[in-house]
Every structure is written in structure tokens, then in C-alpha cells.
Amino acid sequence: AGKIGIWHWDVKNNILTWSKEQKVIYGFSDTETITNATQFNDLIFPEDLKRIQDDQSEGNKLEHEHDFRIIRKNDGEIRWLKSRARNVVNEQGELQFISGVNIDITEQVLALNKIQENEERFRNLAETLPQMVWVMNAQGKIEYVSKNWKEYSGIDDVEEAWNYMMHPDERERLTSYWKQVFAEKKGY
């Protein structure tokens, strides 16, 4: 699980307060202080900061959630954060404070990127093989077929192609067997 830091910004006086965990996430020592939002914004990737600022300037939203990248102060490491914040306004509707949490989601982002890379590798391999490749989930639903599958069958609808490509004398037996495999969650 990622580390969670808490922060509070007194907007009127531009005073920023961070928890110890927040400082660790951003690469600050316990003794260092970050005193205003400008210092904080300098650590955020510029394109991510622009997206956050654009969202915050839209209307009078009281809650915000953003995923963004930072460059840690002490080691220059890039980290991914999920921020959830709540605006506090006075009786006139003027913004007074923003309080929130930052969750370090770097490990999750890197894991998701690795999964996407592996999926892309699989698809590239499957599309270049001179074979029909298909993937079926645990419920028996076909999730992927290679282009060779469609070219061979000449049918765009995968379920229809599946039935078409089985010999009519075997269709009932194979369909019954597949249903049993998925109902009993056993290998085939």
C-alpha cells in the first residue's frame, strides 16, 4: 500500500501545512518546511499542474480528485500521487482553506504499466503468428481473437464463428463439454 500524507492550505494567508508522511512522500526531511503553495506547485509536473489548476478553476466544486506526478526534492525520483481535497468556503462563498490527502500510487501505476506492456507484447505476438489465437475468460466468454481467426472464418461475430467452425456432428457434444468445464471450473 502507498504512503498517505495529509496537507492543509490556508488560502487567504498562503500558508501550507504538511504532515510528516507528506514530507516523506515529497522527499523533504522532518526539519524542512514548505510554507506556501508555490513551493508545492514547483514539485508537480507542469502538464499535470495545468490540468489540476484548470479543474480547480471550473465552477465552485467543493471536492477534487487528481492523479499526478511529482519530482521528489531530495532524490529527483518521479512519483505518482492520487490527491483528494476538499475546499472550505466562508458564508460569502469565498475559498478559505483546502484540506486533503495525497496517496503515493507509484507502485500501482508501474504495475499497471507493466501489465499494459505485457498485453501489448501478447497482442503483437498473437497478430503475427500464422495461427488462429483466441482468449476466453473463466466464464466462457471470448475476450480476444486474432485477425487470423476472423480471416479464416470470414465471420466478424466471434460467437457465431465459433459455432460455425465446429463440425455439426460435434457441436452439441463440445458445447455441452465447454459448459461443464466452466460450471465446474476445471481445466479442459
Side-chain angles (χ1 to χ4, degrees), residues 6 11 14 17 22 32-33 41 43 56 64 68 76 80 92 94 97 117 119 134 139 153 159 161 174 181:
I6 300 170
V11 176
N14 195 22
T17 308
Q22 177 84 343
E32 290 179 287
T33 59
N41 291 344
L43 299 170
Q56 289 175 340
H64 302 273
F68 60 94
W80 277 91
Q92 291 76 35
E94 299 167 331
F97 306 102
E117 288 171 15
E119 185 173 301
W134 54 274
Q139 290 74 41
S153 71
E159 297 294 332
L174 288 173
V181 164

PDB file of all heavy atoms in Angstrom, residues 6 11 14 17 22 32-33 41 43 56 64 68 76 80 92 94 97 117 119 134 139 153 159 161 174 181:
ATOM      1  N   ILE A   6      -1.008  14.018   4.642  1.00  0.00           N
ATOM      2  CA  ILE A   6      -2.118  14.951   4.865  1.00  0.00           C
ATOM      3  C   ILE A   6      -1.586  16.373   4.727  1.00  0.00           C
ATOM      4  O   ILE A   6      -0.476  16.667   5.167  1.00  0.00           O
ATOM      5  CB  ILE A   6      -2.719  14.741   6.271  1.00  0.00           C
ATOM      6  CG1 ILE A   6      -3.235  13.300   6.407  1.00  0.00           C
ATOM      7  CG2 ILE A   6      -3.839  15.747   6.549  1.00  0.00           C
ATOM      8  CD1 ILE A   6      -3.618  12.915   7.817  1.00  0.00           C
ATOM      9  N   VAL A  11      -5.643  29.366   2.290  1.00  0.00           N
ATOM     10  CA  VAL A  11      -5.573  30.068   1.011  1.00  0.00           C
ATOM     11  C   VAL A  11      -5.373  31.568   1.205  1.00  0.00           C
ATOM     12  O   VAL A  11      -4.539  32.187   0.543  1.00  0.00           O
ATOM     13  CB  VAL A  11      -6.832  29.784   0.165  1.00  0.00           C
ATOM     14  CG1 VAL A  11      -6.812  30.576  -1.131  1.00  0.00           C
ATOM     15  CG2 VAL A  11      -6.963  28.291  -0.113  1.00  0.00           C
ATOM     16  N   ASN A  14      -1.933  32.051   2.383  1.00  0.00           N
ATOM     17  CA  ASN A  14      -0.993  31.238   1.619  1.00  0.00           C
ATOM     18  C   ASN A  14      -0.015  30.497   2.537  1.00  0.00           C
ATOM     19  O   ASN A  14       1.189  30.514   2.342  1.00  0.00           O
ATOM     20  CB  ASN A  14      -0.235  32.070   0.585  1.00  0.00           C
ATOM     21  CG  ASN A  14       0.457  31.172  -0.448  1.00  0.00           C
ATOM     22  OD1 ASN A  14       0.073  30.019  -0.639  1.00  0.00           O
ATOM     23  ND2 ASN A  14       1.480  31.712  -1.090  1.00  0.00           N
ATOM     24  N   THR A  17       0.505  23.587   5.347  1.00  0.00           N
ATOM     25  CA  THR A  17       0.946  22.725   6.446  1.00  0.00           C
ATOM     26  C   THR A  17       0.911  21.284   5.964  1.00  0.00           C
ATOM     27  O   THR A  17      -0.084  20.852   5.377  1.00  0.00           O
ATOM     28  CB  THR A  17       0.003  22.892   7.665  1.00  0.00           C
ATOM     29  OG1 THR A  17      -0.110  24.279   7.975  1.00  0.00           O
ATOM     30  CG2 THR A  17       0.526  22.143   8.861  1.00  0.00           C
ATOM     31  N   GLN A  22       3.529  13.360   4.533  1.00  0.00           N
ATOM     32  CA  GLN A  22       3.502  14.159   3.312  1.00  0.00           C
ATOM     33  C   GLN A  22       4.916  14.600   2.946  1.00  0.00           C
ATOM     34  O   GLN A  22       5.308  14.556   1.782  1.00  0.00           O
ATOM     35  CB  GLN A  22       2.574  15.375   3.501  1.00  0.00           C
ATOM     36  CG  GLN A  22       2.517  16.316   2.327  1.00  0.00           C
ATOM     37  CD  GLN A  22       1.546  15.892   1.245  1.00  0.00           C
ATOM     38  OE1 GLN A  22       1.103  14.750   1.184  1.00  0.00           O
ATOM     39  NE2 GLN A  22       1.218  16.805   0.371  1.00  0.00           N
ATOM     40  N   GLU A  32      12.797  20.152   7.431  1.00  0.00           N
ATOM     41  CA  GLU A  32      12.497  21.094   6.351  1.00  0.00           C
ATOM     42  C   GLU A  32      11.026  21.470   6.379  1.00  0.00           C
ATOM     43  O   GLU A  32      10.170  20.673   6.757  1.00  0.00           O
ATOM     44  CB  GLU A  32      12.832  20.477   4.992  1.00  0.00           C
ATOM     45  CG  GLU A  32      14.308  20.319   4.736  1.00  0.00           C
ATOM     46  CD  GLU A  32      14.558  19.674   3.388  1.00  0.00           C
ATOM     47  OE1 GLU A  32      14.326  18.465   3.260  1.00  0.00           O
ATOM     48  OE2 GLU A  32      14.993  20.399   2.471  1.00  0.00           O
ATOM     49  N   THR A  33      10.755  22.670   5.952  1.00  0.00           N
ATOM     50  CA  THR A  33       9.367  23.119   5.876  1.00  0.00           C
ATOM     51  C   THR A  33       9.069  23.616   4.474  1.00  0.00           C
ATOM     52  O   THR A  33       9.940  24.108   3.770  1.00  0.00           O
ATOM     53  CB  THR A  33       9.091  24.263   6.877  1.00  0.00           C
ATOM     54  OG1 THR A  33       9.955  25.347   6.593  1.00  0.00           O
ATOM     55  CG2 THR A  33       9.262  23.804   8.309  1.00  0.00           C
ATOM     56  N   ASN A  41       3.720  23.631  -5.769  1.00  0.00           N
ATOM     57  CA  ASN A  41       3.462  23.536  -7.204  1.00  0.00           C
ATOM     58  C   ASN A  41       4.732  23.313  -8.008  1.00  0.00           C
ATOM     59  O   ASN A  41       4.692  22.682  -9.069  1.00  0.00           O
ATOM     60  CB  ASN A  41       2.742  24.789  -7.703  1.00  0.00           C
ATOM     61  CG  ASN A  41       1.326  24.876  -7.187  1.00  0.00           C
ATOM     62  OD1 ASN A  41       0.756  23.904  -6.708  1.00  0.00           O
ATOM     63  ND2 ASN A  41       0.739  26.060  -7.277  1.00  0.00           N
ATOM     64  N   LEU A  43       7.010  21.300  -7.486  1.00  0.00           N
ATOM     65  CA  LEU A  43       7.379  19.892  -7.472  1.00  0.00           C
ATOM     66  C   LEU A  43       6.499  19.035  -8.384  1.00  0.00           C
ATOM     67  O   LEU A  43       6.787  17.871  -8.626  1.00  0.00           O
ATOM     68  CB  LEU A  43       7.300  19.349  -6.036  1.00  0.00           C
ATOM     69  CG  LEU A  43       8.222  20.032  -5.029  1.00  0.00           C
ATOM     70  CD1 LEU A  43       7.876  19.584  -3.621  1.00  0.00           C
ATOM     71  CD2 LEU A  43       9.676  19.763  -5.346  1.00  0.00           C
ATOM     72  N   GLN A  56      -9.621  22.980 -10.973  1.00  0.00           N
ATOM     73  CA  GLN A  56      -9.969  23.736  -9.773  1.00  0.00           C
ATOM     74  C   GLN A  56     -10.600  25.085 -10.101  1.00  0.00           C
ATOM     75  O   GLN A  56     -11.349  25.628  -9.308  1.00  0.00           O
ATOM     76  CB  GLN A  56      -8.742  23.917  -8.882  1.00  0.00           C
ATOM     77  CG  GLN A  56      -8.321  22.626  -8.233  1.00  0.00           C
ATOM     78  CD  GLN A  56      -7.039  22.740  -7.447  1.00  0.00           C
ATOM     79  OE1 GLN A  56      -6.243  23.652  -7.653  1.00  0.00           O
ATOM     80  NE2 GLN A  56      -6.832  21.811  -6.541  1.00  0.00           N
ATOM     81  N   HIS A  64     -12.199  17.681  -4.964  1.00  0.00           N
ATOM     82  CA  HIS A  64     -11.348  17.435  -6.129  1.00  0.00           C
ATOM     83  C   HIS A  64     -10.604  16.121  -5.940  1.00  0.00           C
ATOM     84  O   HIS A  64     -10.246  15.763  -4.820  1.00  0.00           O
ATOM     85  CB  HIS A  64     -10.309  18.554  -6.298  1.00  0.00           C
ATOM     86  CG  HIS A  64     -10.903  19.911  -6.452  1.00  0.00           C
ATOM     87  ND1 HIS A  64     -11.278  20.420  -7.673  1.00  0.00           N
ATOM     88  CD2 HIS A  64     -11.208  20.869  -5.548  1.00  0.00           C
ATOM     89  CE1 HIS A  64     -11.770  21.627  -7.501  1.00  0.00           C
ATOM     90  NE2 HIS A  64     -11.747  21.924  -6.223  1.00  0.00           N
ATOM     91  N   PHE A  68      -1.450  12.650 -10.334  1.00  0.00           N
ATOM     92  CA  PHE A  68      -0.411  13.484 -10.928  1.00  0.00           C
ATOM     93  C   PHE A  68       0.968  12.983 -10.515  1.00  0.00           C
ATOM     94  O   PHE A  68       1.110  12.159  -9.620  1.00  0.00           O
ATOM     95  CB  PHE A  68      -0.597  14.955 -10.533  1.00  0.00           C
ATOM     96  CG  PHE A  68      -0.548  15.211  -9.044  1.00  0.00           C
ATOM     97  CD1 PHE A  68       0.641  15.569  -8.425  1.00  0.00           C
ATOM     98  CD2 PHE A  68      -1.682  15.102  -8.267  1.00  0.00           C
ATOM     99  CE1 PHE A  68       0.692  15.811  -7.067  1.00  0.00           C
ATOM    100  CE2 PHE A  68      -1.654  15.347  -6.909  1.00  0.00           C
ATOM    101  CZ  PHE A  68      -0.457  15.703  -6.303  1.00  0.00           C
ATOM    102  N   GLY A  76      15.119  13.466  -6.678  1.00  0.00           N
ATOM    103  CA  GLY A  76      14.680  13.646  -8.064  1.00  0.00           C
ATOM    104  C   GLY A  76      13.838  12.511  -8.608  1.00  0.00           C
ATOM    105  O   GLY A  76      13.516  12.484  -9.792  1.00  0.00           O
ATOM    106  N   TRP A  80       4.097   8.953  -8.515  1.00  0.00           N
ATOM    107  CA  TRP A  80       2.699   9.181  -8.885  1.00  0.00           C
ATOM    108  C   TRP A  80       1.871   9.312  -7.619  1.00  0.00           C
ATOM    109  O   TRP A  80       2.002   8.490  -6.702  1.00  0.00           O
ATOM    110  CB  TRP A  80       2.163   8.013  -9.703  1.00  0.00           C
ATOM    111  CG  TRP A  80       2.503   8.081 -11.145  1.00  0.00           C
ATOM    112  CD1 TRP A  80       3.593   7.544 -11.761  1.00  0.00           C
ATOM    113  CD2 TRP A  80       1.746   8.719 -12.174  1.00  0.00           C
ATOM    114  NE1 TRP A  80       3.562   7.807 -13.099  1.00  0.00           N
ATOM    115  CE2 TRP A  80       2.434   8.531 -13.381  1.00  0.00           C
ATOM    116  CE3 TRP A  80       0.557   9.442 -12.184  1.00  0.00           C
ATOM    117  CZ2 TRP A  80       1.971   9.031 -14.594  1.00  0.00           C
ATOM    118  CZ3 TRP A  80       0.096   9.932 -13.388  1.00  0.00           C
ATOM    119  CH2 TRP A  80       0.799   9.729 -14.574  1.00  0.00           C
ATOM    120  N   GLN A  92     -19.777  33.905   2.441  1.00  0.00           N
ATOM    121  CA  GLN A  92     -19.883  34.632   1.171  1.00  0.00           C
ATOM    122  C   GLN A  92     -19.458  33.755  -0.015  1.00  0.00           C
ATOM    123  O   GLN A  92     -19.443  34.211  -1.151  1.00  0.00           O
ATOM    124  CB  GLN A  92     -19.003  35.895   1.208  1.00  0.00           C
ATOM    125  CG  GLN A  92     -19.478  36.983   2.159  1.00  0.00           C
ATOM    126  CD  GLN A  92     -19.179  36.650   3.625  1.00  0.00           C
ATOM    127  OE1 GLN A  92     -18.153  36.045   3.926  1.00  0.00           O
ATOM    128  NE2 GLN A  92     -20.091  37.016   4.504  1.00  0.00           N
ATOM    129  N   GLU A  94     -16.438  32.520  -0.427  1.00  0.00           N
ATOM    130  CA  GLU A  94     -15.012  32.721  -0.731  1.00  0.00           C
ATOM    131  C   GLU A  94     -14.195  31.563  -0.184  1.00  0.00           C
ATOM    132  O   GLU A  94     -14.387  31.116   0.953  1.00  0.00           O
ATOM    133  CB  GLU A  94     -14.532  34.039  -0.105  1.00  0.00           C
ATOM    134  CG  GLU A  94     -15.255  35.257  -0.638  1.00  0.00           C
ATOM    135  CD  GLU A  94     -14.995  36.494   0.219  1.00  0.00           C
ATOM    136  OE1 GLU A  94     -14.763  36.350   1.443  1.00  0.00           O
ATOM    137  OE2 GLU A  94     -15.046  37.605  -0.330  1.00  0.00           O
ATOM    138  N   PHE A  97      -9.945  27.648   2.884  1.00  0.00           N
ATOM    139  CA  PHE A  97      -8.981  26.572   3.109  1.00  0.00           C
ATOM    140  C   PHE A  97      -9.195  25.459   2.106  1.00  0.00           C
ATOM    141  O   PHE A  97     -10.299  25.278   1.602  1.00  0.00           O
ATOM    142  CB  PHE A  97      -9.152  25.961   4.517  1.00  0.00           C
ATOM    143  CG  PHE A  97      -9.108  26.950   5.629  1.00  0.00           C
ATOM    144  CD1 PHE A  97     -10.275  27.373   6.243  1.00  0.00           C
ATOM    145  CD2 PHE A  97      -7.898  27.457   6.077  1.00  0.00           C
ATOM    146  CE1 PHE A  97     -10.254  28.289   7.280  1.00  0.00           C
ATOM    147  CE2 PHE A  97      -7.858  28.373   7.119  1.00  0.00           C
ATOM    148  CZ  PHE A  97      -9.034  28.794   7.718  1.00  0.00           C
ATOM    149  N   GLU A 117       2.122  -3.218 -20.980  1.00  0.00           N
ATOM    150  CA  GLU A 117       3.232  -3.588 -21.861  1.00  0.00           C
ATOM    151  C   GLU A 117       3.164  -5.068 -22.219  1.00  0.00           C
ATOM    152  O   GLU A 117       3.362  -5.439 -23.386  1.00  0.00           O
ATOM    153  CB  GLU A 117       4.570  -3.293 -21.184  1.00  0.00           C
ATOM    154  CG  GLU A 117       4.913  -1.829 -21.077  1.00  0.00           C
ATOM    155  CD  GLU A 117       6.160  -1.591 -20.205  1.00  0.00           C
ATOM    156  OE1 GLU A 117       6.902  -2.552 -19.925  1.00  0.00           O
ATOM    157  OE2 GLU A 117       6.360  -0.432 -19.803  1.00  0.00           O
ATOM    158  N   GLU A 119       0.514  -7.002 -22.196  1.00  0.00           N
ATOM    159  CA  GLU A 119      -0.638  -7.228 -23.060  1.00  0.00           C
ATOM    160  C   GLU A 119      -0.325  -6.816 -24.493  1.00  0.00           C
ATOM    161  O   GLU A 119      -0.690  -7.515 -25.444  1.00  0.00           O
ATOM    162  CB  GLU A 119      -1.852  -6.462 -22.544  1.00  0.00           C
ATOM    163  CG  GLU A 119      -3.103  -6.766 -23.341  1.00  0.00           C
ATOM    164  CD  GLU A 119      -4.346  -6.137 -22.745  1.00  0.00           C
ATOM    165  OE1 GLU A 119      -4.656  -6.441 -21.591  1.00  0.00           O
ATOM    166  OE2 GLU A 119      -4.988  -5.342 -23.461  1.00  0.00           O
ATOM    167  N   TRP A 134      -7.022 -17.291 -29.735  1.00  0.00           N
ATOM    168  CA  TRP A 134      -8.191 -16.764 -29.035  1.00  0.00           C
ATOM    169  C   TRP A 134      -7.980 -16.880 -27.543  1.00  0.00           C
ATOM    170  O   TRP A 134      -7.223 -17.707 -27.070  1.00  0.00           O
ATOM    171  CB  TRP A 134      -9.470 -17.462 -29.478  1.00  0.00           C
ATOM    172  CG  TRP A 134      -9.416 -18.971 -29.373  1.00  0.00           C
ATOM    173  CD1 TRP A 134      -8.939 -19.827 -30.312  1.00  0.00           C
ATOM    174  CD2 TRP A 134      -9.830 -19.770 -28.272  1.00  0.00           C
ATOM    175  NE1 TRP A 134      -9.023 -21.116 -29.865  1.00  0.00           N
ATOM    176  CE2 TRP A 134      -9.577 -21.117 -28.613  1.00  0.00           C
ATOM    177  CE3 TRP A 134     -10.386 -19.497 -27.041  1.00  0.00           C
ATOM    178  CZ2 TRP A 134      -9.871 -22.173 -27.770  1.00  0.00           C
ATOM    179  CZ3 TRP A 134     -10.676 -20.546 -26.189  1.00  0.00           C
ATOM    180  CH2 TRP A 134     -10.425 -21.870 -26.563  1.00  0.00           C
ATOM    181  N   GLN A 139     -15.487 -17.344 -17.378  1.00  0.00           N
ATOM    182  CA  GLN A 139     -16.926 -17.540 -17.530  1.00  0.00           C
ATOM    183  C   GLN A 139     -17.291 -18.091 -18.911  1.00  0.00           C
ATOM    184  O   GLN A 139     -18.459 -18.275 -19.219  1.00  0.00           O
ATOM    185  CB  GLN A 139     -17.681 -16.222 -17.299  1.00  0.00           C
ATOM    186  CG  GLN A 139     -17.661 -15.741 -15.857  1.00  0.00           C
ATOM    187  CD  GLN A 139     -16.312 -15.184 -15.452  1.00  0.00           C
ATOM    188  OE1 GLN A 139     -15.661 -14.481 -16.214  1.00  0.00           O
ATOM    189  NE2 GLN A 139     -15.880 -15.519 -14.258  1.00  0.00           N
ATOM    190  N   SER A 153     -12.308 -17.593 -40.634  1.00  0.00           N
ATOM    191  CA  SER A 153     -13.738 -17.896 -40.552  1.00  0.00           C
ATOM    192  C   SER A 153     -14.557 -17.025 -41.503  1.00  0.00           C
ATOM    193  O   SER A 153     -15.618 -17.438 -41.955  1.00  0.00           O
ATOM    194  CB  SER A 153     -14.247 -17.696 -39.121  1.00  0.00           C
ATOM    195  OG  SER A 153     -14.289 -16.312 -38.798  1.00  0.00           O
ATOM    196  N   GLU A 159     -18.763 -15.378 -31.551  1.00  0.00           N
ATOM    197  CA  GLU A 159     -19.602 -16.494 -31.086  1.00  0.00           C
ATOM    198  C   GLU A 159     -20.167 -17.274 -32.273  1.00  0.00           C
ATOM    199  O   GLU A 159     -20.204 -18.499 -32.274  1.00  0.00           O
ATOM    200  CB  GLU A 159     -20.739 -15.964 -30.195  1.00  0.00           C
ATOM    201  CG  GLU A 159     -20.275 -15.288 -28.927  1.00  0.00           C
ATOM    202  CD  GLU A 159     -19.581 -16.220 -27.944  1.00  0.00           C
ATOM    203  OE1 GLU A 159     -19.885 -17.432 -27.932  1.00  0.00           O
ATOM    204  OE2 GLU A 159     -18.718 -15.729 -27.197  1.00  0.00           O
ATOM    205  N   ALA A 161     -18.863 -17.397 -35.281  1.00  0.00           N
ATOM    206  CA  ALA A 161     -17.744 -18.081 -35.935  1.00  0.00           C
ATOM    207  C   ALA A 161     -17.374 -19.349 -35.181  1.00  0.00           C
ATOM    208  O   ALA A 161     -17.062 -20.385 -35.781  1.00  0.00           O
ATOM    209  CB  ALA A 161     -16.542 -17.142 -36.028  1.00  0.00           C
ATOM    210  N   LEU A 174     -19.436 -30.782 -27.905  1.00  0.00           N
ATOM    211  CA  LEU A 174     -18.423 -29.806 -27.490  1.00  0.00           C
ATOM    212  C   LEU A 174     -19.045 -28.663 -26.686  1.00  0.00           C
ATOM    213  O   LEU A 174     -18.466 -28.218 -25.685  1.00  0.00           O
ATOM    214  CB  LEU A 174     -17.683 -29.261 -28.713  1.00  0.00           C
ATOM    215  CG  LEU A 174     -16.722 -30.236 -29.383  1.00  0.00           C
ATOM    216  CD1 LEU A 174     -16.182 -29.640 -30.676  1.00  0.00           C
ATOM    217  CD2 LEU A 174     -15.601 -30.616 -28.453  1.00  0.00           C
ATOM    218  N   VAL A 181     -17.149 -27.578 -18.263  1.00  0.00           N
ATOM    219  CA  VAL A 181     -15.837 -27.088 -17.851  1.00  0.00           C
ATOM    220  C   VAL A 181     -15.969 -25.787 -17.053  1.00  0.00           C
ATOM    221  O   VAL A 181     -15.390 -25.639 -15.991  1.00  0.00           O
ATOM    222  CB  VAL A 181     -14.915 -26.863 -19.079  1.00  0.00           C
ATOM    223  CG1 VAL A 181     -13.712 -26.010 -18.746  1.00  0.00           C
ATOM    224  CG2 VAL A 181     -14.469 -28.210 -19.654  1.00  0.00           C
TER     225      VAL A 181
END
